[in-house]
Amino acid sequence: MAEFRVRVSTGEAFGAGTWNKVSVSIVGTQGESPRLPLDHLGKEFNAGAEEDFQVMLPEDVGPVLLLRVHKMPPAMSCLLRPLAQDAWFCRWFQLTPPQGSPFLFPCYQWLEGAGSLVLREGTAKVSWADHHPLLQQQRQQELQARQEMYQWKAYNPGWPHCLDEKSVKDLDINIKYSTAKNANFYLRSGSAFVEMKIKGLLDRKGPWRSLNEMKRIFNFRKTPAAEYTFEHWQEDAFFASQFLNGLNPVLIRRCHCLPKNFPVTDAMVASVLGPGTSLQAELEKGSLFLVDHGILSNIHTNVINGRPQFSAAPMTLLYQRPGGGPLLPLAIQLSQTPGPNSPIFLPSDDKWDWLLAKTWVRNAEFSFHEALTHLLHSHLLPEVFTLATLRQLPHCHPLFKSTGLGIGGFSELIQRSMKQLNYSALCLPEDIRTRGVEDIPGYYYRDDGLQIWGAVERFVSEIIGIYYPSDESVQDDRELQAWVGEIFSKGFLNRESSGIPSSLETREALVRYVTMVIFTCSARHSAVSAGQFDSCAWMPNLPPSMQLPPPTSKSQATPESFINTLPPVNATCDVILTLWLLSKEPGDPRPLGTYPDEHFIEEAPRRSIATFQNRLAQISRDIQERNRGLALPYTYLDPPIIENSVSI
């Protein structure tokens, strides 16, 4: 007989403890022990507790391979249903044999109801590194169980595939919000809804009476950035700056040749360019930039309060003044088809004509951002990455451890974008080079994003270097290749033109790929999500819908027509409420680089994690130092604000 010491750690979250009975079976190379109860006098497994138990093995099972955990409700629990369903969050087990060093078995899972769970000793291993048949079998069984639990479905034709569940309440407990996060989210949404309801704004279907009346809602949970937006939203420099550091900083690109369907002339822009230069000269110097919302052409629009809404597909030409001056708009065309009914609006036009043209561009930014930059790139694709990880990588794998248009219009826009989506657009350094915006001043999304990308890339490179000694070791990891292949087929719909790899051949390719996944699910999401409320709290800066069609001539806009073009009162409030909720992390935060679930137990990856955290801390200090000198600080890529993954 051999005596083992078993140490058990229970999570600290609300409801993490359990009244259920827990036992373990120790699996070795020579057999498996019977169930060994973990029992003390009184209640075990309280939240936050670490407890020791002594268990006796009746016979030797050989070197330890696995730990089988059994959870059963106590006797008579059939009379008390909550006890029978009592969930338990186990952090880890530590098994100390009579002789030798202890084994750590990371768990970090909820166990709900009666059942068993098989845990491996915590050393990370790729598929080709497992040699014992029992360990190989365990990997296969874990993945088979997960593939049955997490299945794909096509939500809409042409969209990335997603998890086949009907509602959030049907999700497995291990991928739901924590109880604290869930409660905080609904409390926040409830209080905000009541506030709007009391003000009588949610039931008003008509237009706003004036810009002054809109100030009533502007007092709703306003932020310093929202106040800055309110004060500067009509200014050309602020309008242009939002293409760099607003909620959609991914569309602006350098323009060396004007599109044929955007016939801007020297006479139109001479007042902004000044004497001694021309459009062609500025194009050759690289000081002109283009934002093209052409993908919105002829998109289906929504119906709000019984009224059809309208959209535009504008093109905006911008000018970077020499000497580091502000980026300024030169010209705006509200359609992709030039002609008498599609004038080119200019800063020299009547005030309300120019303001209305800029507001149509901001509405296009809202539609493009919410459907593509936010929903597609920052939610639908991360869901593909996550679901493929759950289905193809077991817990012991090192990558698992580090890891106004209406619905119809949104769906159509996503289908169009999926046909154009390419790998380089998801890799920030390449995206910056492709758009030609490496040196435009004041582009803090680029500056901070490249710092974060570099830190993630170095971290990933160190982890990959630990577990993959050669390119051949990447090619031979069947689980890794299945993961990449499933992302290609389910997320990018087998489109070879996307440039997304369907397999990986080298360590360098693996580093790039994993960096892209981590950056997309963390920093990119923060950059395009955290500022939504800041941009929309003053609705004219980012109108979610437009009730009148785009102007087809100049000198027609008035203060009244401007107000009547903006969304109605109730639609404004609905969107502001939603974006306020989506911009705020609902508690229980896990910033980038923070890993409370300690899946890695080896010293080398732990050192890499510590180094990664130090790099992020230095980036944060640099960002905060720079922001002290800015009238509008750019905070959305400050590492403490970035969540480890998409969490809202």
Side-chain angles (χ1 to χ4, degrees), residues 121-237:
E121 188 271 331
T123 302
K125 288 186 177 181
V126 295
S127 58
W128 48 259
D130 262 340
H131 303 297
H132 196 280
L134 279 178
L135 294 178
Q136 295 171 350
Q137 181 185 50
Q138 183 274 330
R139 295 181 87 104
Q140 295 169 3
Q141 290 174 342
E142 180 184 342
L143 292 180
Q144 287 170 0
R146 293 228 226 103
Q147 288 165 13
E148 290 176 7
M149 177 179 292
Y150 305 115
Q151 298 192 11
W152 296 100
K153 73 174 178 183
Y155 181 76
N156 266 331
W159 284 39
H161 291 196
C162 62
L163 179 64
D164 187 9
E165 291 288 5
K166 293 181 179 179
S167 70
V168 172
K169 67 176 182 292
D170 297 323
L171 294 176
D172 174 61
I173 190 173
N174 282 295
I175 59 173
K176 284 183 178 179
Y177 266 4
S178 67
T179 302
K181 188 185 286 279
N182 197 53
N184 196 24
F185 179 82
Y186 284 106
L187 283 172
R188 283 164 49 87
S189 60
S191 65
F193 177 85
V194 168
E195 181 178 339
M196 290 283 199
K197 194 76 172 176
I198 290 174
K199 290 182 177 180
L201 298 171
L202 291 176
D203 299 319
R204 273 187 56 189
K205 297 182 179 181
W208 294 94
R209 298 185 184 96
S210 66
L211 291 175
N212 285 332
E213 190 198 21
M214 289 184 194
K215 294 178 184 178
R216 290 177 56 193
I217 191 175
F218 181 65
N219 290 321
F220 173 81
R221 319 290 169 94
K222 61 186 177 183
T223 64
E227 291 192 51
Y228 186 93
T229 299
F230 170 72
E231 294 168 1
H232 299 276
W233 71 284
Q234 296 188 50
E235 299 171 8
D236 285 358

Side-chain angles (χ1 to χ4, degrees), residues 340-506:
N341 294 325
S342 183
I344 295 176
F345 291 93
L346 307 167
S348 55
D349 289 340
D350 173 79
K351 169 189 172 182
W352 290 101
D353 280 347
W354 180 236
L355 182 60
L356 182 60
K358 290 192 294 182
T359 304
W360 271 105
V361 174
R362 296 299 297 158
N363 169 253
E365 278 283 272
F366 178 92
S367 299
F368 187 101
H369 167 268
E370 291 300 337
L372 304 180
T373 310
H374 188 212
L375 177 58
L376 174 58
H377 288 188
S378 301
H379 284 276
L380 300 184
L381 291 183
E383 181 170 349
V384 170
F385 301 150
T386 301
L387 191 49
T389 300
L390 289 168
R391 288 171 47 85
Q392 301 297 346
L393 299 181
H395 274 93
C396 65
H397 197 287
L399 290 189
F400 189 101
K401 292 170 178 278
S402 62
T403 65
L405 294 177
I407 294 175
F410 267 40
S411 180
E412 186 179 356
L413 202 52
I414 287 171
Q415 290 165 354
R416 292 182 186 182
S417 182
M418 283 293 292
K419 295 176 182 178
Q420 304 172 7
L421 185 62
N422 62 79
Y423 191 20
S424 64
L426 299 176
C427 298
L428 183 65
E430 294 168 53
D431 178 52
I432 295 296
R433 288 194 296 272
T434 299
R435 292 191 286 118
V437 289
E438 303 98 316
D439 57 357
I440 185 170
Y443 196 3
Y444 306 122
Y445 165 76
R446 173 203 59 205
D447 298 342
D448 300 351
L450 289 175
Q451 289 293 316
I452 299 291
W453 178 280
V456 172
E457 185 177 51
R458 287 193 292 272
F459 171 57
V460 170
S461 181
E462 290 174 12
I463 296 294
I464 297 302
I466 295 169
Y467 297 102
Y468 292 92
S470 64
D471 291 344
E472 290 74 21
S473 64
V474 172
Q475 299 162 19
D476 292 343
D477 187 350
R478 62 180 184 276
E479 292 165 349
L480 169 69
Q481 301 298 340
W483 177 64
V484 174
E486 190 159 79
I487 290 172
F488 176 71
S489 63
K490 301 299 184 181
F492 297 89
L493 309 182
N494 292 309
R495 276 197 324 104
E496 293 185 3
S497 60
S498 68
I500 299 290
S502 57
S503 62
L504 296 174
E505 303 298 322
T506 66

Side-chain angles (χ1 to χ4, degrees), residues 247-262:
L247 80 174
N248 192 42
V250 298
L251 202 52
I252 185 171
R253 61 179 57 243
R254 195 178 300 272
C255 181
H256 290 291
C257 180
L258 278 177
K260 292 182 179 180
N261 61 338
F262 194 15

